[in-house]
Amino acid sequence: MKKSLRLGTAVALAATASLTLASCGFGGSTGGEEAADGKVTLDLLVPSYSDNTQGLWEDVIEGFEAANTDIDVKLEVQSWDNLEQVVTTKIQGGEAPDIYNGGAFGGFAADGLLYPAEDVVSPETFGDFQDSFIANAEIDGTAYALPLIASARALFVNNALLEQAGATAPTNWDELLDAATKVSALGGGVAGYGMPLGSEEAQAEAAVWLWGGGGTFGDATEITIDDPANLPGAEQIKKMIDAGATQADPGSTDRSPLMDIFIQGKIGMQVGLPPTVGQIEENNPELDYSIVPIPTKDGSAFTLGVMDQLMAFNNDEGAKQEAITKFFDYYYTADVYVPWVQTEGFLPVTKSGAEALKSEESLAPFLEVLPDAQFYPSTNEKWQATDGALKSLFGQIQTKPAQDVLTEIQAQVDAS
């Protein structure tokens, strides 16, 4: 694989229905009771990160059940496109999973559905999490979710295309626009910058630009999409599109298929994730590329950090708390957790995990920029509605005035 790492100095459908379900019971058919064979059953609902995900969880469950013969774990794997609707439907039907791997959780916590994180792990396990990740899972000083994996974004650069176009890897928006325009001018179906504004992950590309210009989506108490600070980034997106610096029809392009085109060598630059490295090695190991920090308006350090969580629903007035604690403590031991996160290609959220993977060259550019990461306001109970509004509406920026799009998204969030 031809790869150079320039570290630099800087690295669907939302569940908008109400989750106030005081009239519903929680848990599956086993409730808080033991099954007929005397075992406690834990229902585990997770998304698929890759083709490896189901097998990885099955391996974890096999090892856990061998060490805890009085506990059965029932695994359900859903696509990210379906996950939030599935968990919402389960909760509304009184069948919330005991353990759930997801993103936004503020609404669940606000409705009193979740255990505090410290109630379902040992002090040793809780103390092993990176402090910044635990802080990102807190609401009013209490963590209601356990960090699972972290991911930072960086700019993947096709060195050969930029060299052919007479451009260099950019550090700010002006340089990015110039380089992307030159690469697009090469023709032959080549695009300068891959800009995915389709529904798969529009919220991420929006954050890259809006936050890179000094904007914000808000915090735990307020969602601020329609904020003047977000307008420079939104208008820069339109400038890129209007200049022909992106692929055709970015408003409806999803990230995953677009990254496949980058890997094929047809896109000059695109923001990617740690797993992108493995995808390149598997599908086009001869690709000549670099990984550099994301360009921002003024070149200042920034990355979009994403942290998915594990959370535990208190379905049975504490009856399954001990079993859940045993599962989490088992999963987060370094011998179990590190191979899991390494295979999925993400960044570890535990101190022991970071120590074990510190020599991994492919993770170095992302670990480098992680201290400058900004996160989604996932502890805000309206984040799920915000995430959904961004996914469904932000792509309109291709054809509508930037301010109009921001205003429309804010209105949908406020109405949720």
Side-chain angles (χ1 to χ4, degrees), residues 193-198 201-202 205-206 247 250 253-256 258 270:
Y193 177 81
M195 183 177 286
L197 301 177
E201 210 181 25
E205 189 69 14
Q247 82 284 2
T253 306
D254 287 337
R255 178 184 60 82
S256 296
L258 191 63
Q270 186 173 334

Side-chain angles (χ1 to χ4, degrees), residues 93-402:
E95 296 185 348
D98 299 300
I99 299 172
Y100 173 57
N101 168 197
F105 63 91
F108 303 146
D111 285 341
L113 305 183
L114 301 178
Y115 282 105
E118 287 190 86
D119 289 355
V120 285
V121 288
S122 66
E124 293 76 18
T125 298
F126 193 80
D128 193 33
F129 291 111
Q130 299 282 2
D131 294 341
S132 60
F133 296 141
I134 283 292
N136 195 50
E138 290 181 346
I139 299 174
D140 295 332
T142 299
Y144 285 95
L146 298 171
L148 173 65
I149 52 95
S151 182
R153 310 283 168 133
L155 187 71
F156 283 69
V157 176
N158 184 315
N159 297 328
L161 287 179
L162 264 68
E163 182 177 357
Q164 186 179 349
T168 57
T171 61
N172 59 47
W173 285 352
D174 289 341
E175 293 173 359
L176 176 58
L177 177 60
D178 178 68
T181 303
K182 289 178 178 176
V183 172
S184 287
L186 294 173
V190 169
Y193 177 81
M195 183 177 286
L197 301 177
S199 61
E200 178 189 359
E201 210 181 25
Q203 84 287 357
E205 189 69 14
V208 164
W209 291 92
L210 273 55
W211 300 359
T216 176
F217 286 172
D219 54 27
T221 60
E222 185 180 13
I223 296 296
T224 56
I225 305 300
D226 189 11
D227 186 300
N230 286 328
L231 195 55
E235 290 182 335
Q236 186 67 22
I237 289 174
K238 291 191 70 67
K239 186 181 293 187
M240 293 281 291
I241 296 171
D242 292 345
T246 73
Q247 82 284 2
D249 198 18
S252 61
T253 306
D254 287 337
R255 178 184 60 82
S256 296
L258 191 63
M259 184 54 73
D260 289 341
I261 298 173
F262 175 88
I263 293 171
Q264 293 164 14
K266 291 291 189 177
I267 295 177
M269 295 163 285
Q270 186 173 334
V271 173
L273 297 152
T276 305
V277 175
Q279 292 164 3
I280 293 172
E281 185 156 1
E282 178 179 356
N283 295 297
N284 189 9
E286 295 305 311
L287 184 68
D288 181 10
Y289 73 99
S290 300
I291 305 174
V292 304
I294 295 172
T296 58
K297 181 179 180 180
D298 59 6
S300 58
F302 157 76
T303 188
L304 167 62
V306 177
M307 183 184 78
D308 291 336
Q309 295 95 357
L310 284 172
M311 60 204 79
F313 284 84
N314 186 357
N315 295 324
D316 305 296
E317 299 182 353
K320 296 187 180 183
Q321 182 176 357
E322 182 179 356
I324 293 169
T325 301
K326 287 180 179 180
F327 183 82
F328 284 151
D329 282 347
Y330 174 85
Y331 173 71
Y332 282 109
T333 57
D335 289 346
V336 177
Y337 174 66
V338 171
W340 192 100
V341 75
Q342 188 174 28
T343 302
E344 291 287 27
F346 290 107
L347 306 179
V349 296
T350 60
K351 298 167 187 174
S352 58
E355 179 66 21
L357 296 180
K358 66 180 181 180
S359 63
E360 289 288 321
E361 180 187 9
S362 63
L363 297 182
F366 301 97
L367 292 170
E368 172 94 2
V369 298
L370 198 57
D372 298 306
Q374 297 179 40
F375 294 89
Y376 300 130
S378 59
T379 54
N380 189 303
E381 62 185 82
K382 287 199 171 186
W383 169 243
Q384 287 172 303
T386 307
D387 179 69
L390 286 163
K391 287 176 177 176
S392 64
L393 299 175
F394 194 77
Q396 297 178 123
I397 202 168
Q398 178 178 341
T399 56
K400 289 186 177 181

Side-chain angles (χ1 to χ4, degrees), residues 25 45 76 78 85-97:
L45 174 62
E76 180 177 347
Q78 291 284 346
Q85 183 61 56
V86 168
V87 75
T88 299
T89 300
K90 286 180 179 291
I91 293 170
Q92 291 173 332
E95 296 185 348

